Amino acid sequence: MIINLTDTNSAEISSAMLRARRSAGSPAMGMVLTLIIVCAESDYAEVLDASRAAGHEHPSRILVVVAGTARKPSLNAQVRISEGVTGEVVIIRMRGAVARHPASVIRPLLLPDSPVVVWWPHAAPANPAGDEIGQMASRRITDASSMARPLSALEVRAANYAEGDTDLSWTRLTPWRALLAAALDQYPAKIKSAAVQAEGSNGSACLLAAWLQNRLKVDVTVVPSDGPGITAVRMATAAGDIAITRPDGLLASYTVPGQPNRLVALKRREIPGLLTEELRRMDADDIFETALQTFRKHRRKPTAAATKSPATKTGAKKTGAKKATADKPVGKKAATKRTGTKRTGTKRTGTKRTGAKKAPAQKAPTGTPSA
């Protein structure tokens, strides 16, 4: 059942959902959470399909908030019950002043006494926990990989992290982390170093490197590759490398020293599977927080040029100023004054002799390093 509402409000939307449930013959809700999706008009169809797929495992009230840029205030809604989803779907389109204060519309539509999860599929606020809608949620899901600069987006997430935040860049690593942990359980050797190979600007690869560094206490480098996504992880031991390589994004080769290679299914997962996994937990992800802060720490590590002290720079300027004064050409008048001679032909020769005597005196002493 689909109910369209024009120039509506929260009370009318709630009444429409109640009528739709009764008409469908299921007055009991049976939903476990409220999922709020904040997206643009061009993205809502895609994210709606992903939320429907996740709803098969997590029956939810799905509120899709589509904010527009029009100046004229308007609030339109579409209620969907039993339309390929186990819960309820409400698509809310806001414009004008209403879009600047979406919480006033969303708050009356939340399921009572149940968790609230907010998902920003693409553009997200810099501080999700401080956002007007994010403040209503116990879990806030973002996706740095969908941004133009994923690593910068992850750095912003780290700077504004709050308990309950997570990112789908981290969720993508679950199969990798499970396989790496199993490899070390099977071959518990001391790891000397590790490397993650991935296509450029891959946020998941950087988080994986940070996680490995925290767990193994070794240096982990990120090596560029042609992709897709993460293509290999290698951990060096005294007997050889423990390696997981996935060049095609589908099938991985699992190598342990002294054992034959094995093939493992390691397919790149789509958004519905990632969202379904994140909706399984409502508590804070401490491991994600640690990996995120480690990533930020190494991302912001100062370079050698940036670590020069101000005193050194000031000293360099002063030295340069003195040198410029010493190297300044001396005019004929000044030269005459210093030697005490007049500009006669004979005494000019004497001036040259005086200059010849001064030259050895200005020569650096033996053993002093040259500039």
Side-chain angles (χ1 to χ4, degrees):
M1 178 179 293
I2 298 178
I3 301 174
N4 293 311
L5 302 172
T6 305
D7 292 331
T8 185
N9 54 46
S10 300
E12 291 182 358
I13 296 173
S14 296
S15 299
M17 285 191 290
L18 180 59
R19 292 196 307 270
R21 284 198 305 270
R22 288 175 176 172
S23 299
S26 56
M29 292 183 289
M31 289 172 283
V32 297
L33 58 90
T34 301
L35 174 61
I36 305 173
I37 304 173
V38 184
C39 64
E41 183 70 37
S42 59
D43 303 324
Y44 97 91
E46 177 188 354
V47 301
L48 182 59
D49 291 340
S51 62
R52 281 177 171 177
H56 291 296
E57 184 175 325
H58 310 281
S60 312
R61 174 173 289 177
I62 302 171
L63 306 177
V64 183
V65 180
V66 183
T69 57
R71 294 184 179 181
K72 184 178 179 180
S74 65
L75 177 60
N76 303 323
Q78 185 181 80
V79 179
R80 299 183 180 186
I81 304 292
S82 301
E83 290 292 324
V85 66
T86 55
E88 301 171 342
V89 176
V90 183
I91 303 170
I92 305 169
R93 291 181 170 85
M94 303 179 183
R95 302 290 186 272
V98 182
R100 292 193 289 271
H101 302 283
S104 60
V105 178
I106 300 301
R107 190 172 285 108
L109 303 178
L110 302 179
L111 286 174
D113 302 323
S114 61
V116 178
V117 180
V118 180
W119 175 34
W120 290 272
H122 297 289
N127 183 7
D131 181 74
E132 188 174 336
I133 293 180
Q135 290 176 355
M136 298 186 290
S138 56
R139 289 279 286 172
R140 294 164 293 274
I141 305 172
T142 57
D143 191 0
S145 299
S146 66
M147 306 297 289
R149 302 175 62 187
L151 301 186
S152 298
L154 277 179
E155 191 174 353
V156 173
R157 298 288 172 268
N160 298 285
Y161 177 84
E163 188 174 301
D165 290 354
T166 191
D167 195 276
L168 295 185
S169 298
W170 174 251
T171 316
R172 291 180 176 92
L173 297 176
T174 302
W176 282 97
R177 293 192 295 127
L179 196 54
L180 290 167
L184 291 176
D185 286 341
Q186 181 180 356
Y187 192 83
K190 181 175 179 57
I191 304 300
K192 297 182 177 180
S193 64
V196 179
Q197 297 178 6
E199 58 187 337
S201 299
N202 189 293
S204 296
C206 293
L207 289 177
L208 182 58
W211 174 73
L212 285 172
Q213 183 163 326
N214 281 325
R215 296 298 165 178
L216 302 177
K217 308 302 180 185
V218 297
D219 292 333
V220 182
T221 57
V222 179
V223 182
S225 71
D226 295 333
I230 300 173
T231 55
V233 177
R234 301 180 185 278
M235 299 181 290
T237 69
D241 288 352
I242 300 174
I244 300 174
T245 57
R246 187 191 63 178
D248 59 357
L250 298 173
L251 200 62
S253 175
Y254 173 37
T255 305
V256 175
Q259 299 182 15
N261 292 352
R262 283 167 284 180
L263 297 180
V264 182
L266 196 59
K267 183 180 178 180
R268 301 186 72 191
R269 296 189 296 168
E270 302 295 334
I271 295 296
L274 301 175
L275 182 61
T276 300
E277 179 183 330
E278 282 301 331
L279 293 180
R280 290 175 189 153
R281 61 179 304 167
M282 292 294 118
D283 58 328
D285 193 340
D286 297 333
I287 300 176
F288 166 65
E289 179 186 3
T290 303
L292 190 63
Q293 297 303 337
T294 302
F295 159 77
R296 183 183 181 224
K297 177 182 177 182
H298 288 274
R299 172 91 169 161
R300 297 177 64 87
K301 186 178 290 185
T303 60
T307 54
K308 287 183 179 180
S309 62
T312 305
K313 294 180 181 178
T314 306
K317 283 185 178 180
K318 289 181 178 179
T319 305
K322 290 180 179 178
K323 186 176 180 181
T325 305
D327 292 343
K328 185 177 179 181
V330 181
K332 293 181 180 180
K333 186 175 181 181
T336 305
K337 187 176 181 181
R338 284 194 298 173
T339 56
T341 59
K342 293 183 180 180
R343 296 175 58 191
T344 60
T346 306
K347 294 191 176 182
R348 270 188 291 178
T349 307
T351 306
K352 289 182 180 178
R353 290 177 182 173
T354 306
K357 290 181 180 179
K358 284 186 176 181
Q362 293 176 355
K363 187 177 179 180
T366 305
T368 303
S370 63

